[in-house]
Every structure is written in C-alpha cells, then in structure tokens.
Amino acid sequence: MSGNATFRHDNAALLAVTSVEAPVVVSSREFDERLAPSLKRLRLSGRLLERVAGITERRWWSPGTGFDDAAIEAGAKALAASGIEPSQIGLLINTSVTRRNLEPSVAVKIHHKLGLPSSAVNFDLANACLGFVNGMTLAANMIDAGQIKYALIVAGEDAQPTQETTFRRLNDPDSTREDYLREFATLTLGCGAAAAVVGPADAHPGSHRILGGVSRAGTEHHELCVGGPDGMFTDTKGLLDGGLELVVTAWHEAHADGWNWASMDRYVTHQVSNSYTNAIIKAVQLARERVPITFPKWGNVGPASLPMTLAQESLSLGTGDRVLCMGVGSGLNTTMMELAW
C-alpha cells in the first residue's frame, strides 16, 4: 500500500513520561474466588487468568480516587519531570477509554486542575488501547508544523466498575461457558495512569527524539472486541489472529519504506497477555529479552499500558538506545513509533 501509512517527524521529542500505579492489589486468585460458583457450575478450571493470560494480579484505585484524578496526578508528575511549566503547554490530549459521561470531555477537568492556560487546546482522543500513541503522533505533528511548542498527553483507566458488573453477570445461574469466554478479556484489565510531555527537540538537547513510524488499519475486524460500561465482549482468537496479521503487515510496510527495526534496544508493546506477546515476538522475530513485560502485575491497562511500561523502562535506558513502541487497539488499528533515547 502506498500513501500515508508511514510518517517521519522533524523536530519532536519526548521530554518526560511518567506513570501512576493504582494502590490496591487484586490477585487473579481473588477473581477466581469471586467467580467460584460460576466456575464450578460451568466445569471450568480455576487459575485460567494466570495459566492462559499470564496475569497474576492487577490494581484498583482506592475508594474516592477517580481515573481522572489519577490522570491529573500523572500529568503533574510529567510536567515536573520535564521542567515545563503549565503555562507553556499548548495542547492537552486525554486518551482515556474510561469516562463517566459523554460530555463534556474528560480533558476539560484535567486542563482545569493542572492550571493550563486558556490558550491550550484540549480534547479527548479515543481509539481504544492505541489512543496514547496516537496522541503522541498528533502532538509531534503539531510541533513540527509550528502550531504549538509543548503538548501533554494523559490517560487514566478504571476497570473496577466494569469488572464488578462482569462478576454479577457471570455468576448468574443462566450464564454459559460461551459467556465466560466472551468476557474473559474483561477480567484481564487493570487500573493505572500515565502522562507524557512532548516538545521541540532543538530546544532540548539530550531529549528523546520521536523519529516516526507506521500506522495501519484493519477495520474489517471492528466487531471482534466491543467494550462499554457493562463489559467487554471479545472474540479472543479472532482478535489475536487479526491483530497479528495487521502488525506483521505494518512491520513489513515500514521496512519497505526504509525503517529498520530488527535490532532495537527495546520493544515496548501494548500489554495484553502471554499469548499475544509470544505471538508478536515469534511473528516478527523480536529478541525476547528486549521486550519488557508488565501485564502479569498490572493487567491490561488500556491506552495507559504502553506508556506505563515505557516509564518503567526509562529508568534503564541510556543515551543512544533505540526504542520501538508497538501499539494495537481494538477496531483494529496499529501504530509503531521509533524513539531515539
């Protein structure tokens, strides 16, 4: 395919990336205990979350803490780490999947609480688990165009309400094995928040350049994973097969256009499960030791999972390291973005 699938940035850099872990640890064994009546009645073995998905625990927020409060905290941390004042921010993008209402945007509360200026454009960008990477791309484009100087991208996720609803539905006497399998992915979710500050590379020597990458869409798969406040319903095998095909196609598209990602220092992928990670590693022959894994302790934190993992890895990355962010979102969409640390 020719056209706009691959892209390059001239003067955009990642100045800081930070995360906020939700404080309440909830193990997969606790989930099994809550679903024990259903598992027994449907003759399903326990510990599927650990054995199949590889998720031993995830985190929930403390009572009274909202996902947007966590996004605000992550944003404040990112601003402090970057040394950029709130008054300098020209763009705020909230990429959270979680929301309480259709309007106004989640971004407006975050904008207000962080004390961003009236001149800062702010909005929500929703694209499932790919939203944060999309937000970084958009910010980099606007910086290259000279429209803004600094951008703040945030995401905050709260899986608990959806999971509580799922527990009630799966423990209903009329639930089936098919219901459990369709909603299994809901049980892999977790809570967390992340934020990043993007700015002009030429004004920040030593910052982490956002070089560019590739984006591809496989929207024929838009019905494979559909989520909402009442639950997330997934064709797990179809999603894996479709997502894998899309990622492999994008990988080859990028290499045909001059990118070379065969020997990156780190591959930061969207965190889903064992099967997804293993399939990606095998399909494009990644060095397993260069693929950090965080889903066993955090679960799938939606669009916050990749930047949370990147924030963790930033502690061990050195100047000159090459990092490839590999995002995938239901729909299906994928973006791969190279960073020069």
Side-chain angles (χ1 to χ4, degrees), residues 52-335:
V52 176
I55 295 172
T56 58
E57 62 189 40
R58 79 282 297 136
R59 281 151 173 74
W60 284 353
W61 300 114
S62 300
T65 298
F67 73 96
D68 43 6
D69 298 321
I72 292 164
E73 181 181 350
K77 286 179 63 176
L79 288 170
S82 68
I84 301 303
E85 296 295 327
S87 60
Q88 296 176 272
I89 296 295
L91 172 69
L92 167 70
I93 305 177
N94 165 62
T95 65
S96 309
V97 169
T98 306
R99 60 190 311 111
R100 293 192 186 90
N101 38 261
L102 294 177
E103 60 176 302
S105 69
V106 177
V108 294
K109 177 180 177 180
I110 299 170
H111 181 284
H112 174 67
K113 292 293 186 178
L114 288 175
L116 303 186
S118 177
S119 56
V121 177
N122 65 93
F123 52 82
D124 292 350
L125 188 163
N127 198 17
C129 296
L130 189 57
F132 200 98
V133 181
N134 291 152
M136 290 180 63
T137 300
L138 179 57
N141 285 337
M142 292 178 69
I143 289 167
D144 282 346
Q147 185 175 351
I148 61 167
K149 193 167 184 181
Y150 296 104
L152 176 64
I153 301 98
V154 301
E157 301 301 333
D158 187 359
Q160 182 180 356
T162 302
Q163 289 171 332
E164 296 283 6
T165 301
T166 300
F167 290 144
R168 291 192 292 271
R169 186 163 45 243
L170 293 182
N171 277 328
D172 186 280
D174 293 329
S175 68
T176 65
R177 290 173 68 98
E178 290 71 24
D179 292 331
Y180 186 89
L181 294 176
R182 284 176 65 236
E183 299 198 54
F184 183 76
T186 308
L187 305 176
T188 69
L189 301 176
C191 303
V197 175
V198 179
D202 59 5
H204 297 273
S207 57
H208 318 307
R209 287 288 307 278
I210 302 174
L211 300 180
V214 61
S215 289
R216 289 297 294 260
T219 52
E220 66 272 23
H221 302 301
H222 67 277
E223 295 183 338
L224 293 180
C225 181
V226 179
D230 292 334
M232 187 167 70
F233 306 92
T234 305
D235 175 348
T236 305
K237 184 180 185 305
L239 195 67
L240 176 60
D241 292 344
L244 189 61
E245 179 184 6
L246 186 65
V247 167
V248 171
T249 301
W251 178 274
H252 291 304
E253 172 91 14
H255 282 72
D257 196 46
W259 295 98
N260 182 7
W261 295 330
S263 57
M264 306 297 286
D265 295 289
R266 214 68 50 91
Y267 298 93
V268 181
T269 65
H270 172 52
Q271 301 289 310
V272 181
S273 65
N274 272 332
S275 56
Y276 171 84
T277 303
N278 291 336
I280 294 296
I281 289 173
K282 181 179 180 181
V284 293
Q285 300 180 325
L286 303 182
R288 183 174 293 272
E289 69 275 8
R290 298 180 185 181
V291 183
I293 304 298
T294 57
F295 62 79
K297 64 176 181 177
W298 290 340
N300 176 355
V301 199
S305 71
L306 190 152
M308 287 179 69
T309 304
L310 180 60
Q312 173 183 280
E313 292 303 297
S314 69
L315 302 176
S316 60
L317 289 169
T319 301
D321 283 346
R322 298 175 66 208
V323 180
L324 185 66
C325 297
M326 304 176 69
V328 177
S330 299
L332 285 164
N333 288 290
T334 187
T335 296

